Amino acid sequence: MRRSKPFYSRLTSAAGALLGAAGLAFAGALSPAQAQLVDYSGLEARPAMWHLSDADSDIYLFGTFHLLPPSLDWQTDTMREHLANADALYLEADVQGAEAQARMQALVVELGLNPQGVTLSSMLDAEARALLARVAPTVGATPEMLEPMRPWLAQIVLSVAQMQVLGLDPEAGAEKALLAAVAGTDVELGYFETAEQQVRVLADLPDSVQVAGFAEGLREMERTPAMLDEMVRAWAAGDIETIDRIVNADMREQTPEMYEALIVQRNRDWVPQIQALLDGEGTVFVAVGAAHLSGDNGVVELLRESGIIVTRQ
């Protein structure tokens, strides 16, 4: 029987940088665990990028990874050149500014905590409670710390904490580097979603879907290191088929409601916005999670289905 890929990694890969930042806001309160660093300094990276254009517009689509190992040198000369020539940089959502982070954290508190009298453990069966008791300490958490959280937020917190334990750093994430590269320039910043839209991607899922995904994630967290290494190497190599397999394939089969909310609907929402950018003029660098650019329901294929020629760089 084919083993499913960890729910938590699908969650953080698909839910976006904003939710990663949400997880960091809560995971920062956990007791630090010793990082298990892998040296990626010798890896030759060439993350996936595509191009579409018309008479007066050029758009570059770049697939990001929201948390990365600091030792990975992933910025290619081609990527830097296209970003340097861009008039605008578009990301999933605004997560970096102080005002945006305050708004995001307020939304997470509003939408990520259980009603009075409801605890996380009260929503889980005995197996999941036992798994939580075993897994939480490996990332510096305790079940008691997670009790106020709805399953989606508890899973984000555990996922971000474990990714950090395994050596992935939000400060090394692709979005951080791209924003730093355009800081102090005339490059316009644009976003496809608001803070509330991105938080609600998970917060509005039925509790039953959240609980099922949380339990699946707990079962898989103990087998994470090899999968994360495969994911990082696939992203660095621009292996979009492997990204689709790791991040999307099992979600499509096992939790179709989550796949529809996290991937498909958001991709469909972004495509007309990208088409509008193409109808304008100038050069735009679009950077969204690599999982959104892969597969039959990915942004690249949806653009092609609309009649736009999209070529791999």
Side-chain angles (χ1 to χ4, degrees):
M1 181 169 158
R2 185 166 57 117
R3 189 174 72 192
S4 65
K5 300 301 183 292
F7 167 84
Y8 94 88
S9 66
R10 303 190 308 239
L11 197 64
T12 42
S13 296
L18 182 66
L19 293 179
L24 287 167
F26 284 85
L30 305 184
S31 301
Q34 185 173 358
Q36 304 166 23
L37 300 179
V38 175
D39 184 6
Y40 292 95
S41 59
L43 193 64
E44 185 174 350
R46 195 172 187 271
M49 184 163 51
W50 292 261
H51 175 240
L52 52 151
S53 65
D54 62 13
D56 57 2
S57 305
D58 285 286
I59 297 178
Y60 295 93
L61 302 177
F62 183 79
T64 66
F65 209 79
H66 304 309
L67 289 83
L68 285 168
S71 61
L72 177 62
D73 181 9
W74 55 269
Q75 297 188 48
T76 66
D77 291 341
T78 300
M79 186 279 294
R80 289 192 181 97
E81 179 182 354
H82 292 322
L83 182 61
N85 292 330
D87 300 298
L89 168 65
Y90 269 70
L91 304 173
E92 293 179 24
D94 182 4
V95 302
Q96 302 301 329
E99 182 177 343
Q101 290 197 359
R103 173 60 177 155
M104 176 270 295
Q105 292 184 30
L107 283 166
V108 169
V109 170
E110 176 188 348
L111 301 173
L113 301 183
N114 287 314
Q116 188 72 27
V118 178
T119 63
L120 176 64
S121 61
S122 71
M123 305 173 74
L124 307 177
D125 61 20
E127 179 193 3
R129 289 195 296 271
L131 283 167
L132 178 59
R134 188 165 68 245
V135 167
T138 67
V139 297
T142 66
E144 291 74 23
M145 296 169 65
L146 302 170
E147 286 285 39
M149 301 180 189
R150 296 181 66 201
W152 74 265
L153 179 58
Q155 193 64 48
I156 287 285
V157 169
L158 290 176
S159 74
V160 171
Q162 190 178 47
M163 292 178 88
Q164 289 184 287
V165 168
L166 295 174
L168 275 67
D169 186 351
E171 293 301 315
E175 287 83 2
K176 281 263 190 183
L178 295 173
L179 285 168
V182 302
T185 72
D186 294 331
V187 174
E188 174 189 348
L189 296 179
Y191 305 97
F192 293 123
E193 297 172 331
T194 66
E196 182 163 359
Q197 284 175 316
Q198 201 167 71
V199 171
R200 283 190 177 278
V201 168
L202 290 173
D204 287 350
L205 288 171
D207 285 346
S208 59
V209 175
Q210 293 184 39
V211 169
F214 183 74
E216 172 70 10
L218 292 174
R219 283 189 290 270
E220 295 291 344
M221 282 182 76
E222 294 172 315
R223 298 197 291 266
T224 294
M227 185 282 305
L228 264 184
D229 180 68
E230 182 185 15
M231 186 185 291
V232 169
R233 291 179 184 277
W235 178 79
D239 183 352
I240 206 69
E241 290 79 15
T242 296
I243 291 292
D244 186 57
R245 173 176 60 80
I246 293 176
V247 180
N248 294 333
D250 289 301
M251 189 166 21
R252 281 194 291 263
E253 297 173 13
Q254 297 179 16
T255 53
E257 303 98 330
M258 188 166 292
Y259 177 66
E260 180 70 25
L262 289 180
I263 299 294
V264 179
Q265 189 54 57
R266 295 171 73 208
N267 291 351
R268 289 173 180 160
D269 290 342
W270 296 349
V271 164
Q273 296 183 66
I274 294 171
Q275 290 172 318
L277 293 174
L278 188 62
D279 289 339
E281 60 182 19
T283 300
V284 181
F285 195 98
V286 172
V288 297
H292 290 284
L293 302 179
S294 66
D296 293 340
N297 293 306
V299 168
V300 171
E301 288 306 315
L302 292 177
L303 287 168
R304 286 171 174 162
E305 288 175 8
S306 73
I308 296 172
I309 297 174
V310 184
T311 57
R312 180 76 179 262
Q313 291 287 284

